[in-house]
Amino acid sequence: MATTGRQRTFSHIVGFDDCPFPRGHRGDVAIVGTVFSGLRLEGVLSGKVRRDGVNSTRELIRLVGSSRFAAHLQLVMLQGVALAGFNVVDAVRVHEELGLPVLVVARRAPRRDAMRRALFERIPGGARKWALVERLGEMEPLEGVYVQRVGLSAEEAAATLRATTPHGSVPEPLRLAHLIAGGVTTGESSGRV
């Protein structure tokens, strides 16, 4: 979902990732948001969403909208379209309610057939969640990652990825959210970002 007009730049960004959780875990999963101004970490947000639940959209809107950073934020960045398993984010609603563009980023192209099958066969409300995924369209390759975007053009998304990714392929707001989430949950961060 693109916008038209003059290309904007986004320097005040919040990036969200979920904390690791055991495979059999049920209940709430912590999420971490890192607030950046350029490449400088300005703050951290945290909340909880239900494993495979339906409250991720509401929680992201609450965390961002009620934070002391809300007035300055220009973009919401997500590490994938779902948190805590299959708690699928309605990125269009996040965009509409916060008035901020949303950029969903993944290191690899998702296996859409496997995701659809899992949602329909194993997850309550899977059809509704799949509709949210479908609404965003296919992930598109951009600057070495895959993205879905709401409220910004492909050019704006590419410029944002270049500006926020000094190392590797994952933008700093998501890389740090991932590291912090792992560190506070397991005692130290681990795994690829």
Side-chain angles (χ1 to χ4, degrees):
M1 302 184 130
T3 62
T4 59
R6 200 176 71 112
Q7 183 171 319
R8 299 163 294 167
T9 58
F10 305 101
S11 57
H12 293 76
I13 296 171
V14 60
F16 285 96
D17 198 5
D18 53 9
C19 291
F21 54 91
R23 186 174 176 90
H25 175 76
R26 295 291 171 251
D28 288 339
V29 174
I31 60 171
V32 171
T34 56
V35 178
F36 273 75
S37 175
L39 291 176
R40 177 185 164 126
L41 178 65
E42 294 289 334
V44 176
L45 305 175
S46 65
K48 292 183 179 178
V49 298
R50 179 71 55 177
R51 164 82 189 264
D52 297 334
V54 295
N55 65 334
S56 60
T57 303
R58 190 170 52 249
E59 181 68 349
L60 290 176
I61 291 168
R62 183 190 73 78
L63 286 172
V64 173
S66 67
S67 78
R68 66 185 181 92
F69 307 103
H72 301 289
L73 287 172
Q74 299 169 319
L75 179 83
V76 176
M77 198 177 274
L78 303 175
Q79 181 97 344
V81 73
L83 298 167
F86 283 111
N87 196 323
V88 177
V89 177
D90 183 344
V92 173
R93 184 170 153 215
V94 171
H95 167 65
E96 291 170 352
E97 292 207 20
L98 292 174
L100 299 173
V102 178
L103 183 61
V104 179
V105 179
R107 285 179 49 242
R108 291 178 292 284
R111 297 183 346 232
R112 288 177 64 87
D113 290 342
M115 178 188 286
R116 184 181 189 283
R117 197 167 42 257
L119 282 169
F120 278 87
E121 293 174 6
R122 298 195 326 251
I123 306 298
R128 182 185 164 280
K129 292 177 182 189
W130 180 249
L132 295 176
V133 173
E134 285 280 281
R135 186 175 177 189
L136 287 178
E138 295 275 343
M139 289 198 102
E140 56 189 325
L142 199 63
E143 297 296 323
V145 292
Y146 290 83
V147 302
Q148 290 165 308
R149 53 194 168 76
V150 181
L152 72 162
S153 69
E155 295 77 19
E156 290 170 334
T160 300
L161 291 169
R162 285 192 301 271
T164 59
T165 313
H167 313 287
S169 60
V170 177
E172 284 296 288
L174 297 178
R175 192 179 79 80
L176 259 60
H178 180 85
L179 290 173
I180 293 167
V184 299
T185 304
T186 64
E188 69 177 330
S189 56
S190 65
R192 285 194 64 180
V193 181

